[in-house]
Amino acid sequence: MADRVYPSSKQATNGTASATASGANPAFPATKAQLYGASRPLYRPQPNRHRYRRSSFCSCCLWTTIAILLVILLAAIAGAILYVLYRPHRPIFTVSSLKVSTLSLTSASKLVTNVHLNVTAKNPNKKVVYTYDPIAISLYTNDGIDVGDGSFGSFVHGTKNTTLLKAAITSSNQELDDTSAGKLKTALKSKNGLPLKIKLDTKLKAKMGALKTPKLRIRVVCEGIKATVPKGKSATTASTSDAKCKADFRLKIWKWTF
């Protein structure tokens, strides 16, 4: 006998039963976090400006370094070419004579000096002409005591030329401290003579054909001079047979001199 099917006595309300039967998930209201995220603008990463500035600075330093190296290289090449063409040599200085007329200390430790100096300057170059500014002369002992000062006049030193320079070195009532005065008194009484040094400071220009250099500093130091103090009115001649002079060009960069 066939079974009978009886309909359910409960009806579906608002489609809940059909939704449940079809397996769909029930809808829930949005949370506060979801609402905040929906209204929040999207994040966009900004470019790193510090890295760009650093890269530009490094590039600037690199190109500056390359430019400096190129200038140094070109200067070295030009210097090598000039040396090959002209073979420049430093001027040569020798002390011809040094005569002491007066060299004494007063009771008040004041120095009185009267010295006549002759220096021979030689230009050994065939194609280089030197033009000298006035030359400052300083005469001092091996202990560094300044005995007197003088100067040579300016002059033009031609190629393969030898010039005799003459000057008077004087000091009138130069006051010395007790230590310097004591050292100088002892040296003046020495039988071996008073060791002296001569320092010459000036600037010069070098002319090589049509090329002229800017003014260069030059210092000449002469050592090995021994002077004797005159006892009367006659001047004494210092021993200059062992005197040797060295000429050095001096380069000044800002506060430093080489």
Side-chain angles (χ1 to χ4, degrees):
M1 187 173 178
D3 294 332
R4 293 182 179 180
V5 180
Y6 297 97
S8 176
S9 59
K10 296 183 179 180
Q11 298 294 328
T13 304
N14 295 333
T16 304
S18 60
T20 305
S22 62
N25 293 328
F28 296 99
T31 64
K32 293 183 178 180
Q34 291 174 341
L35 293 174
Y36 175 75
S39 61
R40 186 179 180 182
L42 293 175
Y43 171 73
R44 296 181 180 179
Q46 300 295 326
N48 195 338
R49 296 182 180 180
H50 295 288
R51 184 178 299 175
Y52 174 75
R53 292 177 182 175
R54 187 182 302 172
S55 177
S56 300
F57 178 75
C58 293
S59 300
C60 182
C61 291
L62 176 62
W63 285 110
T64 302
T65 304
I66 293 174
I68 292 174
L69 292 177
L70 286 176
V71 171
I72 294 174
L73 178 62
L74 293 175
I77 294 174
I81 294 173
L82 289 176
Y83 180 79
V84 172
L85 292 177
Y86 296 101
R87 299 283 180 175
H89 296 280
R90 299 177 184 180
I92 300 171
F93 293 84
T94 55
V95 179
S96 302
S97 67
L98 189 146
K99 293 184 178 181
V100 181
S101 299
T102 305
L103 186 57
S104 62
L105 273 173
T106 65
S107 57
S109 298
K110 292 184 178 180
L111 178 63
V112 179
T113 305
N114 188 8
V115 176
H116 295 277
L117 174 66
N118 290 347
V119 172
T120 301
K122 182 180 179 180
N123 181 6
N125 297 285
K126 295 181 180 180
K127 300 179 180 180
V128 181
V129 177
Y130 292 121
T131 302
Y132 290 86
D133 284 355
I135 303 173
I137 308 170
S138 297
L139 181 65
Y140 56 98
T141 66
N142 286 351
D143 295 326
I145 302 173
D146 188 4
V147 176
D149 301 300
S151 64
F152 295 125
S154 58
F155 68 100
V156 178
H157 212 180
T159 58
K160 288 293 183 178
N161 179 263
T162 301
T163 303
L164 180 62
L165 307 174
K166 298 181 179 182
I169 300 174
T170 60
S171 176
S172 179
N173 294 327
Q174 177 183 345
E175 189 172 355
L176 302 178
D177 57 79
D178 295 338
T179 303
S180 299
K183 290 181 180 180
L184 187 57
K185 284 180 180 179
T186 303
L188 291 174
K189 295 178 181 178
S190 175
K191 295 181 180 180
N192 296 326
L194 175 64
L196 295 175
K197 294 181 181 179
I198 299 173
K199 183 175 67 176
L200 310 177
D201 283 309
T202 188
K203 294 180 181 180
L204 61 81
K205 288 183 179 180
K207 182 180 178 182
M208 295 170 284
L211 178 64
K212 293 182 180 180
T213 66
K215 286 187 178 182
L216 304 172
R217 293 176 179 267
I218 184 172
R219 170 171 288 181
V220 182
V221 178
C222 302
E223 300 180 345
I225 304 168
K226 289 186 177 181
T228 54
V229 180
K231 296 181 179 180
K233 294 183 179 181
S234 300
T236 58
T237 302
S239 173
T240 58
S241 57
D242 296 330
K244 294 181 179 180
C245 298
K246 183 180 179 181
D248 289 318
F249 288 100
R250 311 184 74 203
L251 178 63
K252 186 174 182 179
I253 301 177
W254 197 27
K255 296 181 181 180
W256 297 276
T257 303
F258 303 93

